[in-house]
Amino acid sequence: MHRVADLVADYLESKVQAYPVVPRISPGDVRRQLPPSPPAQGEPIDRILDDYHRVIEPNVTHWNHPGFMAYFPVTGSGPGVLAEALTAALNVNAMLWRTGPAPTELEELACDWYRQMLGLPPEFRGHINDTASISSLLALAAARERAVDLDVRRRGLAGRADVPRLTVYCSDQAHSSIDKAMITLGLGLANLRRIETDGAFRLRIDRLEEALEADRKAGARPIALVATLGTTSSTSVDPIAAMAAIARRDQLFLHVDGAYALAAGICPEFRQHMQGLSEADSIVTNPHKWLFVPVDCSLLYVRQPDLLRRAFSVVPDYLTTTETGVTNLMDYGVQLGRRFRALKLWMVLRSFGVAGLQERIRYHCELARQFAAWVEAEPGLELVAPVPFSTVCFRATPDLPPEHQDRINEQLLERVNAAGPVFLSHTRLRGRYVLRLTVGNLRTTPAHLERAQQIIRTAHSQALATYAP
Ligand SMILES: *Cc1c(COP(=O)(O)O)cnc(C)c1O
């Protein structure tokens, strides 16, 4: 135990920063260093920890590194790490209130605390899933369940002449988890309408109206809209209020995917981007992304929890209990058993406090704005999207045809990441290759961003100098 505590403390306090963010290894290198078959007899824990230290720790991509600015960074903060250790010690499975009274009640409480922090009305009830992908899947299952006349729970969708195509609408920037939900729920990818976005990558309401009308004319039945609050590529925010008005008018279910950026909603000044949010039917946000809770922790808020129970509750004899008026978390989704994730959320909320969390979110957005200002001032680089939160999309713009520009940007990213101290990622916007930098790690300071700028500047001139069309 003591040695593990030391390994954790050394890693978080200093060692993580000494590693390159992405390990310099090739596929297969890790397995080659480990025996192919299990030991017949038990081994001493010290020897196992030696191998952990030698083979595992150096060969992870260091998501807890302050130079990790790719995708959406995460932070396993101190209180979150301690909570994970306590969770493992308790090893409780709160599928029913009876099998985990404190975990069940703490989950409801922590979700409600966070709801209050986000300024959401009290009718939203939250529960915790592993990922936003699962939260959005459950939300769309609730949307499908709301179409009572279809009786999908019992009759399914296949082999029925009485069910029209059921269509769902999101923007062309929506996350791939919405596609996966369509696949899993039997709604079909062809029935997900990806609506064109405007110049700032927000869903176009006029195009949404056209798609709804065309589908209805063709005999389809629209069931849900998915608005993204902070798209994965550029953190754009769809016009939620206008989508809510359409959802109300047409009796569609409105799900809001705020996996990353909704965390900024704890700061009142960011809620200007989020108007209409309170009118959603469901909202997902991941405290494991930008709220310093260790992976995994995704929160799904629903206005009518009854829809989830109607969609999913199945109680076999061996799971019946006698308590009344309690929540049995197994009723709210697909899985029966569940990790006790509320403890880490609760411990993080308590130890930072609302003001402490707001301060960090604001700081990250400020660092991102400073980086964006640097990009704008840097010759040969340009910003590709607005910066509403802490993500900056940018690219090099050499005087070459677009495909060559893309190649140079790809090479620029490779060079930046090969340097070691920072890790950025890429996306495509309007078909063009774009670099992405997000500030979201608790330990990221201005020094890390200055380092990123130096590395980008050097890599930029090298990429231009060595480019051979
Ligand atoms: C990261 C992300 C997701 C998926 O998150 P998981 O928790 O990994 O499933 C979904 N939507 C958006 C907008 C995201 O940024």
Side-chain angles (χ1 to χ4, degrees), residues 4 22 66 106 163 190 224 263 289 294 300-301 321 346 348 392 407 418 429 440 446 452:
V4 169
V22 181
L106 193 69
V163 179
K289 276 188 170 167
L300 176 65
Y301 288 105
T321 51
W346 180 70
V348 167
V392 183
R407 273 301 297 152
L429 288 172

Side-chain angles (χ1 to χ4, degrees), residues 69-70 394 413 416-417 422-426 435-437 456:
M69 301 172 188
F394 66 102
L413 182 65
V416 168
N417 289 341
V422 296
F423 179 36
L424 314 188
S425 58
H426 74 279
L435 278 70
R436 241 177 119 274
L437 178 147
I456 293 165

Side-chain angles (χ1 to χ4, degrees), residues 72 130-133 175 177 228 230-232 257 259-260 286 288-289:
F72 285 128
D130 54 357
T131 57
S133 302
H175 191 265
S177 54
T228 310
T231 55
T232 313
D257 178 358
Y260 182 70
N286 282 5
H288 80 230
K289 276 188 170 167

Side-chain angles (χ1 to χ4, degrees), residues 196-349:
E196 192 186 328
T197 46
D198 66 13
F201 308 102
R202 299 170 299 208
L203 178 139
R204 276 181 57 171
I205 292 294
D206 57 331
R207 291 283 192 257
L208 173 63
E209 294 278 26
E210 286 165 23
L212 284 166
E213 195 182 323
D215 281 335
R216 286 212 185 86
K217 274 211 182 100
R221 172 155 161 195
I223 57 169
L225 309 181
V226 179
T228 310
L229 193 168
T231 55
T232 313
S233 282
S234 72
T235 64
S236 58
V237 180
D238 287 333
I240 301 170
M243 292 173 76
I246 293 174
R248 211 169 31 238
R249 183 194 70 201
D250 293 358
Q251 297 190 333
L252 305 173
F253 190 96
L254 175 63
H255 174 57
V256 176
D257 178 358
Y260 182 70
L262 184 55
I266 66 171
C267 305
E269 71 271 25
F270 285 105
R271 291 192 202 146
Q272 61 175 1
H273 299 294
M274 305 178 182
Q275 274 155 26
L277 185 63
S278 300
E279 293 170 67
D281 292 291
S282 60
I283 302 170
V284 56
T285 183
N286 282 5
H288 80 230
K289 276 188 170 167
W290 200 9
L291 209 71
F292 320 122
V293 175
V295 175
D296 52 1
C297 183
S298 174
L299 240 151
L300 176 65
Y301 288 105
V302 291
R303 188 183 278 286
Q304 291 174 267
D306 172 53
L307 286 177
L308 287 176
R309 285 195 300 269
R310 265 166 45 196
F312 291 114
S313 180
V314 176
V315 185
D317 286 336
Y318 45 82
L319 292 175
T320 52
T321 51
T322 50
E323 290 86 14
T324 51
V326 298
T327 296
N328 293 319
L329 287 163
M330 68 169 185
D331 290 336
Y332 293 84
V334 178
Q335 61 180 50
L336 170 61
R338 56 202 334 279
R339 267 162 50 66
F340 178 17
R341 301 187 185 89
L343 187 66
K344 56 186 174 179
L345 176 59
W346 180 70
M347 284 179 62
V348 167
L349 295 182

Side-chain angles (χ1 to χ4, degrees), residues 368 371-373 375-376 381-387 392-395 397:
F371 178 79
V375 167
E376 284 191 295
L381 296 184
E382 70 170 11
L383 285 184
V384 187
V387 183
V392 183
C393 294
F394 66 102
R395 62 199 280 269
T397 53

